[in-house]
Amino acid sequence: MPFDNRNTLRMSAVIILLGGMMSVAQADDDHEHHEGGRRAVATNAAWQEECGSCHVAFPPRLLPAESWREMMSGLDKHFGTDASLEPAVAQEIAAFLEQNAGKRKPDPVAKPLLRISETRWFIREHDEVPQRVWKNPLVKSPANCAACHTLAESGDYRERNIRMPK
Amino acid sequence: MSRINTLLVLLLVVMSGLAVQPACAETFGQFMAEFARSAKSSPGFQSFSAANGEQFFKSTHGNEWSCASCHTEDPANSGKHAKTSKVIKPLAPLVNPERFTDPTKVEKWFKRNCNDVLARACTPQEKGDVLTYLLTIGK
């Protein structure tokens, strides 16, 4: 769209400024995490923005690289919705996901799983969650991590921050 | 760290003048002008209609979802993604000034959401009608 150039300039200036402020804030955050003895969580701005708009940005380590590669090649048909991205952005995010993917080798003959909630790890980790909680309308889908992991938005899945809907 | 802070303060001072500019009305006008320019190339275009926009927004078009399924019947309110339940901030630009400020973002979501709701792209007429409707909310 041919927008007024001055306006674009102003907008970019403001965006750069905000970006600067955010990265300083993030640096402080990371610092706290290390002091708290916590492993730093891998993040990337494009991933957080684009993969966090319809649901929480699921942690890359919870699927192997093969799964992310498969998912990123079919974003226009993403679990029944169109999540398509500009190729350059998709490429950046794919690289980030694959670099920080889980290290467990997937079964070489099976098709890569696209749902974290269908991995063996997930099912085992959540086998104590009662059926009636999964069926609670406030949960609706096992992919709705934030229904129980109250800080999922910030990548925090620690036990002490879990509150299951009754 | 203190050097970064000094820099930040300097930047803030330099740019505070830019940040308070009344960008909104200006950008909505630019979106409307752009939709009108594209709509004029199809025969029979007259003007945009808030009533048509509202009807379009609240109806399904062959698929399961309408725009209102995620953005609610009253886009002054926060919505909820119909599948994931994630909260979506209000779509009406007079209520949520972040809306309709970034052309790339607007085009990205029109493409995706129209595809989900209509299984095709929205026409410039439809986009103009929707924005005209949204601008009547929260006045």
Side-chain angles (χ1 to χ4, degrees):
Chain A
M1 263 183 219
F3 270 27
D4 175 88
N5 266 341
R6 263 181 321 155
N7 217 20
T8 318
L9 242 163
R10 281 185 200 147
M11 296 263 282
S12 336
V14 172
I15 289 167
I16 291 166
L17 172 65
L18 284 176
M21 280 160 56
M22 266 150 52
S23 56
V24 170
Q26 241 168 30
D28 282 350
D29 241 356
D30 282 351
H31 196 63
E32 268 167 37
H33 291 176
H34 288 305
E35 281 179 349
R38 241 182 97 198
R39 203 152 50 99
V41 182
T43 67
N44 165 284
W47 163 76
Q48 186 71 53
E49 162 81 18
E50 301 295 349
C51 305
S53 51
C54 294
H55 45 61
V56 298
F58 300 113
R61 68 185 154 86
L62 298 184
L63 283 176
E66 287 75 5
S67 298
W68 293 125
R69 204 171 301 136
E70 171 99 2
M71 188 176 306
M72 293 305 289
S73 68
L75 282 180
D76 56 329
K77 293 197 175 60
H78 179 78
F79 303 93
T81 194
D82 182 342
S84 52
L85 283 172
E86 289 296 314
V89 183
Q91 241 166 40
E92 178 187 341
I93 294 176
F96 165 76
L97 287 168
E98 290 182 36
Q99 266 157 30
N100 295 284
K103 298 286 178 271
R104 186 185 304 246
K105 277 267 155 282
D107 183 346
V109 284
K111 256 181 69 117
L113 281 177
L114 297 186
R115 282 191 183 271
I116 295 163
S117 57
E118 286 174 359
T119 59
R120 266 208 297 214
W121 164 82
F122 184 93
I123 294 165
R124 199 170 353 94
E125 190 67 46
H126 293 84
D127 65 357
E128 277 169 25
V129 177
Q131 272 310 312
R132 68 179 158 75
V133 173
W134 290 125
K135 293 206 181 99
N136 187 317
L138 291 173
V139 177
K140 244 173 79 177
S141 162
N144 189 4
C145 320
C148 306
H149 297 276
T150 56
L151 298 182
E153 194 78 49
S154 60
D156 182 341
Y157 289 88
R158 286 175 299 174
E159 225 174 321
R160 71 162 105 134
N161 295 318
I162 299 175
R163 307 272 178 287
M164 285 204 276
K166 288 280 168 313
Chain B
M1 201 57 193
S2 71
R3 262 182 67 197
I4 295 181
N5 277 339
T6 321
L7 245 168
L8 255 175
V9 170
L10 261 171
L11 270 171
L12 265 170
V13 171
V14 172
M15 286 198 263
S16 52
L18 307 172
V20 292
Q21 54 147 347
C24 312
E26 209 178 305
T27 20
F28 307 148
Q30 284 169 330
F31 276 103
M32 293 305 286
E34 183 61 35
F35 294 147
R37 191 156 42 235
S38 319
K40 274 186 197 126
S41 62
S42 54
F45 172 73
Q46 290 181 328
S47 61
F48 293 131
S49 145
N52 290 353
E54 177 169 7
Q55 164 114 46
F56 175 86
F57 194 86
K58 295 182 176 174
S59 316
T60 55
H61 303 266
N63 282 354
E64 186 187 342
W65 293 326
S66 68
C67 309
S69 304
C70 294
H71 295 295
T72 81
E73 295 271 325
D74 180 0
N77 295 330
S78 283
K80 210 165 94 176
H81 191 286
K83 182 110 179 237
T84 66
S85 307
K86 186 177 160 93
V87 171
I88 301 172
K89 291 187 197 149
L91 193 58
L94 300 184
V95 178
N96 177 0
E98 288 170 25
R99 296 301 186 192
F100 293 92
T101 52
D102 173 356
T104 314
K105 181 171 184 201
V106 169
E107 279 313 310
K108 175 179 73 188
W109 284 102
F110 265 129
K111 174 170 186 263
R112 292 171 167 176
N113 292 339
C114 292
N115 215 357
D116 283 351
V117 171
L118 304 102
R120 62 164 171 82
C122 287
T123 63
Q125 173 88 55
E126 287 162 342
K127 294 183 200 173
D129 287 348
V130 165
L131 181 53
T132 306
Y133 159 58
L134 291 174
L135 284 170
T136 63
I137 294 164
K139 254 204 192 130

